[in-house]
Each structure stands twice: as C-alpha cells, then as structure tokens.
Amino acid sequence: MSSQSEIVLTKVPVPLVAGFQWSVGELMEKFIKALADRKIWGVKCPECGYVYVPPRWRCGKCYAKLGEENLTELSGKGILLSYATAYVELDGAGSFKDLSEPKPIGAIKLEGADSTLFMPLGEVKPEELKEGMKVEVVWREEPKGELADIKYFKPAKR
Amino acid sequence: MRNVAIIGCGQTKHSARRRDVNLAEMVGDAVWNALEDAQVTPQEVDAFTVGNMQGFGGVAQPEQWLGDWIGAAGKPVLRVATGGSTGGCVAQAAFYAVASGLYDIAVATAWEKHSDSKEPGATTGLSHVALGNTINMINCGLSFKHLLSMTLVGAAAGVACYQAMYYMYRSGSRVEHLDMVAAKDRRNAAKNKYAHLQWPGCTPEDIAKTEWVAYPFRYGHICPASDGASAMVLACEDIARKRCKKPVWIKGLAAYSDEENQIMSEGAGGIGILDASQQIGATMSAIKAYRMAGIRDPQKEIDVAEIYQPFPNQELIFAERLGLFDEGTAWRALEKGETDINGRMPCDPSGGVNATNAIGSSALQRILECALQIMGKAEEHQVPKEVHNAVATGWGGATNYIAVTVLGDSPY
Ligand SMILES: [Zn+2]
C-alpha cells in the first residue's frame, strides 16, 4: 500500500455544472398532461396501422406523418413481455447500495399497442413473474400530469 | 471520382426556443423538407451523414434517437462532430459517400438545440466541450484558473475577442467596421424567413448603441444561440441531371485542422502562434478547394460567399483568407458596400451565423445557402445577379477546424 505522501498528482476540481431541460414535443406533452385524467394516449399510424405509446408524429415504420387526429386511448391493461429484478441501486456517491426489497421492472405491451413500455412492477414477488402474464396500471393517488403518475404495473385480476 | 450535386435543401425556422419539438422531431422536419424539395422518397436514400456540436443539448448518441425520424432506419449512418464546423464536415462526408461511388443518394443533416441546455445560451454545452478540450492540460497539472487566464476564457467568444483585436490592428480597421458587418447581417437576416435575429433597416449606429459584452464586442455584434436544423440531398450526376432542374455541383472542398489554434498555441505549451486572426487552416483549405474546383481568381470567379461569422470580424478575416479581397482590405470593401446583398461580392446574404447560430447546423447552412443562391431559390435574399460559383466556410473544432466548400452551376 502506498502512503498518501507518495501520491504525485493532486485532485483538480472542475467548477462546471451541466444541467439540461429537454423539450419533449407537442404529442408527448399531450401524453404527459393526459396522465392527470388517468388516460394513456397512443398514436395509430393511418398508413401501416402501427400503434405507438407514447405517441410520436412520424411513423418510424413507414414514415407517414402522424398528428393529433391519430391519437388513440389505450386501456392501461397489457401483457408482460419480459422482466428484470434489481437488488441494488446507485447510492448517488459513485457506488451501489442494497435495496430493502427487490425491485422488478417489466417490458409491457399495452392492449392495442405495438410498441413496448418499460415500467416498474408492484404488488408482486419476483418469483411470481412470468412472461405473458396480464398486468394493469396502478395510478398514484392524485395524478398531476407528469410521468410519475404511473406508479407501477401490477398483475391483473382475473 | 464521380461528380456530386445538391438536388434538394431543407431547413427549419430558427429561434431561441423550439420547445414545440423535441430534437428528433426538429431534425426530422429539416430532412423531410429537403426530401420534399428534392422529390426523393426516404426509401430512395442510400446513406445518411449527421451531426451536431458534441455535447451540446446533452444527447450523447443523437443518431440512435434520430434514425427512424429521418428515414435512416436500417441504412448506413455516419456521424461527424467537429464542433462549429460540424455541418460543413457532415456535408463533405455526404459528398465523399457519393463521389466514391459507394452510394447514389445521400442525405446530410445537422442541427443544434441550445434550449435543451438548462443555463441561458450555450453554457452547458460549452462546459462539456471546454472540459473535453482542456482535460489534457488539467492532467498536466494546470489548474482551471490558469486555463481561464489564457485565451480559452469565454470559449469561441474569448478567442474571437483576440482575433478581432489582432485583425483590427494589422488591417487598420476599427470597431465601427464590426458595427457595419453586424448591421448588414441583421438586415440581410430580415429577408430570410428561416433566420433568427431579424432587424429590418438595422444601421451601424443601432449596433453601436448596444451594451459592451467583452471589448471589442457589443451585444449587437454577437450571434444568438439558436434552435434549428438543416438538411441537403446529394446525388450522383446521372440522378442529379434526371431529377433536378438546376442541380448545384460541389466542385471543390477541403477541411484542415489548424495547429495554430488557441489550445495548442504558445501560451499552452504548443508550437502554434498566438494570433487567432491568421487562420492558416482557412487559407490552406481555400487553396485546396479552389484548385479542385478549377477556380484561379476567386475575386473574379466567385459570385457570392456564405462565411461562418458568429463574430463580425470573422466575415472580414475569412473573406480575405478565401481570396475574395486582398489582405487587410475586406473592411474597405465593406465600407463601399461591396459585401452588401446587391454588392460586387455579397457576403452572407442570408444573414449568416451572425444572425442565426444553431451551431452544428451553421456550417451546413452556409453550403445550403450557396446552393439556394445558385438554384435561384433564395427568395427575398436572392442576390440580384447571376450566380455561377459560390464559396462556403465553417469554423469550429476548438477554434482550429476549417471546412471550405466551393459550389457551382456546372460540375466543370
Ligand atoms: Zn406507419
């Protein structure tokens, strides 16, 4: 082990802070604001029929222009395509810390949608998760029109 | 090597905050406008070149997000990032793609979305770039305070202060000439519907009334930080002649990285010289590009120039480096109105970077504006004379990178 006095280079602090405020665009803004009414908007391509959630205004499949008139409401129910479970999280100081309980995250295809959403899963133990299982959205108590309004997805009641 | 022509141009409206679109949507708009102008479908495009100023907007791999917004899904995409000259290099990369015979139709697109940075203007982006460029010096034990005491302070703006001072000293020009350039560019921008800072009837006296920022610059001298994107469709000769009434040929090009740049200059342990107004890379790029284009006397053969000039002294310096005026005389031509939109050698009839600076896009826009002038499609800011040849520049990197492109109405 080298002692402190043997370290030649000293730390040079850099007085820079980088902050960002990305604009999301008009359709995505509508999507976010509609969450306040517990609504999930997708957009359906009038040319090829592909349904995107969240919505976008150019079809990535056939390049047709999409607009507000192509918005379509989705039910908030879907199918779990795949999942992962986190046991640690970042501690904000460059390392990891253990989670008090495991956090499952799922790739979810909503009913009527073609694209996939990645969302936390709740009210379920990791060992109960299964590809293809039905899930449904859980809203936060007082939605405010922000992404955090979707609390998590839970297994759907039969 | 094959002849290559620009067959379509597209851009977005530029403003301080395009909060109505996200980055992918904004770039998509420019690309779709270019495809529409060229009457080319996305399916016909063989390859894409893309780029913005590295680190700006805080999106590290923008091409990944953009791909299926610009029609590039499943197609070759080459990303280029050379700081402020990015757009010029993006266009040149598309030229190579087609000239080499590898692809028949290529789309070049470049952009900047300054408003995605949280601090006013481009501070966040500049912090990124400054850090990347200066980290080698920090590694050598130089403190940040020491770096700031050198010409790096204020990034491009700091360099431009010295550049303007050196130029005014050796040419005999004065701050009043900076006022004249800026006023002309604001007036020109008022005729360009896509431009950001539009000021119809702006006079040098108006500019001289604005507050000082850093001597010799006033607020009125300095470019804005704009959100916006531009795009061009490039095609090989067969397709260009079949598909476009008036293709614009890329006749010559070169891009030099200049060792005299500030960061590796004498003050920072490099071998470069300190005079930022020399811009040897611009001279070398111009000589190379003119030779390739068969231009012997640019003063006679070039009809219009679109010069990268976020600071007004740069229009004068680069005009001389491009051989459009004799050494140290561009300001005299400016006084006589020769660089006006209806002058003998119009410089930046679009208003240039001084009026609109979506950094990554700015150097591509210079080429695009030259193309519009040759096609006769510049609308209100079309110069009132026949345009056969035009020259465009880009300035960037860490103030070291120069891209010069010569365009014409015939490939020969
Ligand atoms: Zn579609």
Side-chain angles (χ1 to χ4, degrees):
Chain A
M1 285 283 287
S2 60
S3 72
Q4 190 68 26
S5 63
E6 283 172 316
I7 296 171
V8 177
L9 290 176
T10 53
K11 278 188 182 174
V12 181
V14 177
L16 295 177
V17 178
F20 298 98
Q21 46 174 20
W22 291 288
S23 43
V24 295
E26 283 172 349
L27 281 189
M28 186 65 186
E29 198 169 299
K30 276 200 188 330
F31 171 86
I32 294 170
K33 286 192 173 146
L35 296 174
D37 306 320
R38 295 186 163 84
K39 281 181 194 294
I40 298 175
W41 287 113
V43 67
K44 182 173 183 155
C45 176
E47 299 293 324
C48 72
Y50 199 90
V51 176
Y52 296 91
V53 59
R56 50 184 283 168
W57 74 7
R58 176 77 62 183
C59 179
K61 297 284 171 187
C62 73
Y63 303 132
K65 179 106 178 160
L66 314 173
E68 258 180 72
E69 64 279 13
N70 307 115
L71 285 174
T72 172
E73 194 183 339
L74 301 172
S75 67
K77 292 183 178 172
I79 285 183
L80 184 66
L81 294 182
S82 188
Y83 58 88
T85 305
Y87 290 87
V88 292
E89 66 178 352
L90 297 172
D91 68 356
S95 194
F96 297 109
K97 65 178 182 200
D98 290 337
L99 284 164
S100 54
E101 54 186 75
K103 265 191 194 170
I105 303 145
I108 295 156
K109 193 186 272 249
L110 293 179
E111 269 175 15
D114 292 295
S115 66
T116 309
L117 277 179
F118 283 82
M119 285 287 165
L121 298 165
E123 299 177 38
V124 63
K125 293 199 181 90
E127 57 272 23
E128 295 166 358
L129 293 169
K130 238 191 178 100
E131 291 90 344
M133 75 191 287
K134 290 187 174 170
V135 291
E136 64 185 30
V137 67
V138 176
W139 297 96
R140 99 165 143 195
E141 254 141 58
E142 281 176 39
K144 295 175 191 162
E146 40 189 64
L147 289 172
D149 291 344
I150 297 180
K151 229 166 139 187
Y152 52 78
F153 279 71
K154 65 171 186 184
K157 289 179 206 104
R158 299 175 192 218
Chain B
M1 198 173 66
R2 306 196 294 176
N3 290 323
V4 180
I6 296 165
I7 63 168
C9 300
Q11 47 183 321
T12 65
K13 170 69 189 164
H14 292 78
S15 62
R17 283 173 201 284
R18 289 291 313 275
R19 303 304 285 177
D20 56 321
V21 283
N22 64 37
L23 188 149
E25 293 168 344
M26 186 183 76
V27 181
D29 280 352
V31 169
W32 251 265
N33 288 342
L35 291 172
E36 232 160 72
D37 188 42
Q39 303 262 303
V40 164
T41 66
Q43 287 77 12
E44 290 177 293
V45 179
D46 298 310
F48 290 77
T49 62
V50 305
N52 73 316
M53 180 105 179
Q54 55 272 28
F56 275 41
V59 180
Q61 313 296 344
E63 75 285 355
Q64 188 185 20
W65 182 8
L66 290 173
D68 60 19
W69 284 90
I70 62 173
K75 304 216 168 154
V77 175
L78 176 64
R79 174 165 154 234
V80 179
T82 61
S85 54
T86 290
C89 298
V90 165
Q92 295 193 354
F95 169 88
Y96 295 137
V98 177
S100 64
L102 208 51
Y103 305 115
D104 290 336
I105 299 181
V107 165
T109 185
W111 67 90
E112 213 62 73
K113 202 153 189 309
H114 277 118
S115 71
D116 282 353
S117 288
K118 209 170 175 185
E119 289 82 11
T123 319
T124 303
L126 282 175
S127 303
H128 260 77
V129 174
L131 186 61
N133 288 337
T134 54
I135 203 87
N136 56 331
M137 293 181 228
I138 293 172
N139 276 337
C140 292
L142 294 179
S143 73
F144 213 79
K145 214 173 160 189
H146 180 91
L147 297 180
L148 293 182
S149 73
M150 302 191 307
T151 51
L152 288 168
V153 61
V159 172
C161 287
Y162 285 92
Q163 201 179 45
M165 292 301 285
Y166 277 118
Y167 176 77
M168 289 192 290
Y169 174 69
R170 71 178 158 79
S171 68
S173 57
R174 301 179 307 277
V175 175
E176 286 74 17
H177 297 101
L178 305 182
D179 301 341
M180 291 167 71
V181 173
K184 168 189 73 68
D185 290 332
R186 303 280 191 275
R187 288 196 305 271
N188 288 353
K191 298 180 178 186
N192 174 2
K193 64 184 177 193
Y194 297 106
H196 182 173
L197 281 189
Q198 301 174 315
W199 191 343
C202 180
T203 65
E205 292 72 30
D206 292 329
I207 299 289
K209 277 181 210 146
T210 62
E211 296 291 320
W212 292 109
V213 176
Y215 192 84
F217 294 132
R218 297 177 179 278
Y219 272 97
H221 291 138
I222 298 179
C223 68
S226 318
D227 282 0
S230 55
M232 298 188 307
V233 181
L234 280 68
C236 63
E237 185 159 3
D238 280 2
I239 292 174
R241 289 197 190 278
K242 259 182 238 154
R243 305 283 291 265
C244 184
K245 250 189 234 157
K246 198 157 187 196
V248 173
W249 304 91
I250 296 181
K251 295 171 69 170
L253 75 176
Y256 279 73
S257 171
D258 183 350
E259 74 280 6
E260 56 124 2
N261 83 82
Q262 296 297 297
I263 284 173
M264 290 318 291
S265 67
E266 285 164 341
I271 59 162
I273 53 172
L274 270 175
D275 182 350
S277 71
Q278 286 294 342
Q279 296 298 316
I280 296 164
T283 307
M284 292 168 80
S285 299
I287 290 171
K288 191 93 175 171
Y290 286 144
R291 190 174 297 152
M292 184 174 164
I295 301 250
R296 279 178 195 83
D297 183 354
Q299 299 200 8
K300 291 205 179 84
E301 292 171 79
I302 296 292
D303 302 301
V304 60
E306 277 284 340
I307 295 168
Y308 193 100
Q309 29 62 304
F311 307 94
N313 60 293
Q314 296 176 333
E315 190 172 305
L316 304 172
I317 292 170
F318 288 125
E320 291 172 17
R321 292 294 164 265
L322 292 168
L324 306 178
F325 304 102
D326 293 341
E327 179 71 27
T329 67
W331 62 275
R332 291 182 197 277
L334 169 79
E335 277 184 343
K336 287 184 222 148
E338 289 181 23
T339 61
D340 282 354
I341 207 162
N342 55 0
R344 184 181 69 80
M345 182 66 76
C347 291
D348 292 285
S350 67
V353 188
N354 202 252
T356 306
N357 196 5
I359 298 185
S361 166
S362 288
L364 192 142
Q365 266 184 296
R366 307 282 66 72
I367 300 172
L368 183 152
E369 286 292 343
C370 285
L372 293 180
Q373 293 290 347
I374 292 169
M375 287 171 169
K377 284 160 80 167
E379 298 179 353
E380 232 191 298
H381 64 284
Q382 180 74 40
V383 301
K385 65 173 182 178
E386 269 186 53
V387 180
H388 299 292
N389 292 312
V391 64
T393 68
W395 178 70
T399 75
N400 59 302
Y401 215 98
I402 304 276
V404 172
T405 310
V406 179
L407 302 106
D409 60 356
S410 135
Y412 311 108

